[in-house]
Amino acid sequence: MTPGETVRREHVRFAGHQGVTLAADRWAPSGAERRTVLLLPGGGQTRRSWSRTAERLAAEGWPAIAMDARGHGDSEWSPAGAYGLDDFVADLHAVVDQLGAPPVVVGASLGGRTALAAEGESPGLLAGLVLVDITHRVDRTGQARVRRFLESAPNGFGSLDEAAAAVDAYRPRRGGRRNLDGLRKNLRRRADGRWYWHWDPGFLTFAADARNSDETRLTQAARHVTIPTLLVRGRHSDIVPPAAAAELLDLIPSAELVEVAAGHMIAGDDNDVFTARLCEFLAKRVP
């Protein structure tokens, strides 16, 4: 199949851990299919962050599934407020069981941490691993900055322009005029007329709980990863310092590193370059 051919998109759902329903979009190639690529967004993001990447993957012959994490986008909120790393890992196990074959997982931030823990603690669960600006350890100052951003608008925004200004303040390097239609997909307008991020505020307990980014646990997990692995680091990342990237390559001998001119939010900052690097990795390393 050659790039540019028609792909089919459909909405699908998966049964997650403890009965939480997970929403996803699947892009299917029109011809012969390769291995499925499962795309997991970062905390506070929705599956729509991966739309362009998923469409490109399908055009290259890779069935691509972009999924909302529990409590995000169109996935169900956990009635018990269960948003620990173990809950996200259990969701990934449940989805892989339903796929019927190990996928390649592309995970940004929270999604990557989930996939790293899942594969390292259950080797062979996945066929390939792509960590998007996340490693076994993070810069705590940068992590605190992300948490402040997630907590910054408990009462929503008065307009999409106000929301865009908040995002631009968090990502000052991006520059240029933001596409409000794209931003609208990650927000919901409630009865009070204000715009709110499309995730459960209860998720904020994840970022506040240090156990969910436990360096000892994730280091041990990384030591057990033997599948083809790609770390994509943003050159301007305030989450993954260069030393952490180098450490990960030592922990995972099967890993390779690429850097792109972006910050932590690579899928939005440098999507086309990231997707090109991802397609190269898949074609070269994944059977």
Side-chain angles (χ1 to χ4, degrees):
M1 183 173 184
T2 59
E5 287 192 42
T6 302
V7 300
R8 295 172 284 110
R9 176 183 173 184
E10 61 178 341
H11 184 64
V12 295
R13 293 187 179 275
F14 296 96
H17 177 55
Q18 296 177 331
V20 173
T21 299
L22 305 172
D25 289 324
R26 183 181 189 272
W27 281 260
S30 59
E33 297 187 357
R34 297 176 173 177
R35 189 176 293 274
T36 293
V37 179
L38 180 63
L39 299 128
L40 306 181
Q45 295 180 308
T46 71
R47 67 189 190 279
R48 301 183 194 283
S49 302
W50 292 124
S51 293
R52 287 165 56 193
T53 297
E55 186 174 11
R56 168 73 181 277
L57 288 170
E60 298 277 356
W62 304 92
I65 298 173
M67 189 176 73
D68 284 332
R70 60 171 49 217
H72 290 68
D74 296 317
S75 288
E76 287 185 341
W77 292 10
S78 168
Y83 295 113
L85 181 58
D86 287 337
D87 299 299
F88 292 105
V89 169
D91 283 339
L92 179 53
H93 275 272
V95 171
V96 172
D97 284 345
Q98 290 162 76
L99 290 176
V104 177
V105 168
V106 179
S109 198
L110 166 63
R113 186 180 296 151
T114 298
L116 175 60
E119 174 61 24
E121 294 168 356
S122 299
L125 178 74
L126 310 179
L129 176 62
V130 180
L131 301 171
V132 184
D133 211 60
I134 193 69
T135 62
H136 60 298
R137 71 175 179 91
V138 298
D139 183 289
R140 296 299 179 181
T141 300
Q143 185 182 43
R145 183 169 171 264
V146 172
R147 184 166 64 249
R148 288 195 298 272
F149 171 71
L150 293 174
E151 296 171 344
S152 64
N155 299 313
F157 302 98
S159 67
L160 291 175
D161 282 317
E162 186 179 325
V167 175
D168 289 339
Y170 171 68
R171 299 160 67 188
R173 292 180 183 272
R174 181 178 174 88
R177 179 63 177 170
R178 178 171 299 282
N179 183 340
L180 295 185
D181 287 335
L183 184 60
R184 186 192 307 268
K185 294 176 181 178
N186 288 314
L187 293 159
R188 292 295 182 271
R189 197 171 194 177
R190 296 185 186 170
D192 62 4
R194 297 182 65 78
W195 294 88
Y196 294 81
W197 296 119
H198 199 45
W199 41 269
D200 183 356
F203 166 71
L204 293 176
T205 60
F206 178 91
D209 190 338
R211 292 174 298 179
N212 294 320
S213 57
D214 179 33
E215 183 178 333
T216 299
R217 175 183 180 179
L218 294 172
T219 298
Q220 284 296 105
R223 289 194 174 107
H224 293 94
V225 173
T226 60
I227 57 176
T229 300
L230 174 67
L231 170 60
V232 184
R233 178 182 177 270
R235 291 195 189 99
H236 310 301
S237 173
D238 58 355
I239 293 293
V240 177
E247 290 168 14
L248 187 82
L249 297 185
D250 287 336
L251 291 167
I252 306 178
S254 61
E256 59 186 85
L257 169 70
V258 299
E259 293 189 335
V260 295
H264 181 54
M265 311 297 283
I266 289 176
D269 285 353
D270 206 1
N271 192 283
D272 291 339
V273 173
F274 161 74
T275 302
R277 297 291 183 269
L278 172 60
C279 288
E280 290 171 6
F281 168 77
L282 292 173
K284 179 177 66 174
R285 299 284 307 278
V286 177

